Amino acid sequence: MAHTPANGLRLHTQRLPGRGDGPTVVFLHGLVMDNLSSFYCTLAGPVSRAGHPVLLYDQRGHGRSERPPRGYDRDTAVADLTALLAVLGLDRRPVHLVGNSYGGVLALHAALRRPDLVASLVLIDAQLTGDWVEDMTDTLSVAALGLEHSRLPEQLAALGRRKEARLAAGADALLNHTTLIEDLAPATAFTAGDFARLRCPVLAVYGAHSELLPGAHELARSAPDCELCVLPGVGHTVLNEATEGLCAAVLTRLGAPAGAVAG
């Protein structure tokens, strides 16, 4: 593990080796309680063992990355990603982006803003259309108030639940001491026109019970090259509760990298 300077802050990064010289697969995690570790026992290991080089990183304010007071809008997130790829020498060829939940939002935004950097997209139950921006900011505002007044991190620490205490403390710091909610509020949902502008192939993996599935169907209808994979029995918890089906879909889409040697 390492901290890599990018776009004026230090991002906590982890790289896993692949075989051959195929494009790197970059994983983007979700908001607030999430970080790069959510991919360790789910997708990153299998993708690396299949021969693909992997990059994971904690987005600004999350995990072990620095937590500046501002800069949590989508454009800045893409600037962080772009700078990180440049520092690591991974901007010489397009990369595969795999985004879970809000990480999928950032992956799709990156593909629209910097199509030259993106070889393909994998979106895992990402928020795409509808009123998700308002719903998310409302939910985060309620969570911020709860954390501010409940002293939850201290209560968890007193119970010996250190990991949960650290996560709660990080969420409190992010929600109550940065502009994250304020920066998210002006964002708009994606449109069919946005999907039509995508220049790379897209794999969208959603749970059959996900309330975000209508947006995935619109993506599949409008994007030039999109495969929609709907996994039964799950909602928004595809990454953790439908890992086997998700992993199979992702590895099939990525294929074997050039020059890979069987392990």
Side-chain angles (χ1 to χ4, degrees), residues 81-242:
L81 170 62
T82 302
L84 181 61
L85 294 177
V87 169
L88 295 175
L90 299 177
D91 60 340
R92 300 184 182 94
R93 62 187 304 182
V95 298
H96 301 294
L97 294 182
V98 179
N100 179 51
S101 190
Y102 187 71
V105 173
L106 299 182
L108 197 151
H109 192 63
L112 292 171
R113 292 298 301 268
R114 291 296 307 270
D116 57 305
L117 290 179
V118 183
S120 73
L121 291 175
V122 177
L123 308 180
I124 306 168
D125 221 77
Q127 303 92 337
L128 301 177
T129 61
D131 298 326
W132 70 265
V133 176
E134 182 178 355
D135 292 343
M136 177 177 288
T137 53
D138 287 348
T139 299
L140 293 178
S141 296
V142 171
L145 286 172
L147 285 166
E148 186 176 21
H149 296 293
S150 69
R151 301 181 65 84
L152 179 61
E154 293 90 337
Q155 294 177 38
L156 290 170
L159 294 171
R161 297 165 62 181
R162 291 189 294 272
K163 180 178 179 180
E164 292 95 329
R166 287 196 301 271
L167 288 173
D172 180 37
L174 192 54
L175 293 174
N176 287 310
H177 300 284
T178 76
T179 60
L180 182 137
I181 298 175
E182 178 183 342
D183 291 345
L184 290 177
T188 58
F190 296 106
T191 66
D194 293 327
F195 301 148
R197 290 193 293 113
L198 288 168
R199 288 166 42 184
C200 64
V202 182
L203 170 64
V205 186
Y206 282 70
H209 303 308
S210 173
E211 62 183 14
L212 304 175
L213 195 52
H217 284 294
E218 185 168 346
L219 171 68
R221 287 192 299 267
S222 303
D225 182 359
C226 179
E227 175 189 356
L228 174 59
C229 175
V230 179
L231 299 178
V234 292
H236 191 58
T237 54
V238 170
L239 182 61
N240 293 314
E241 295 187 5

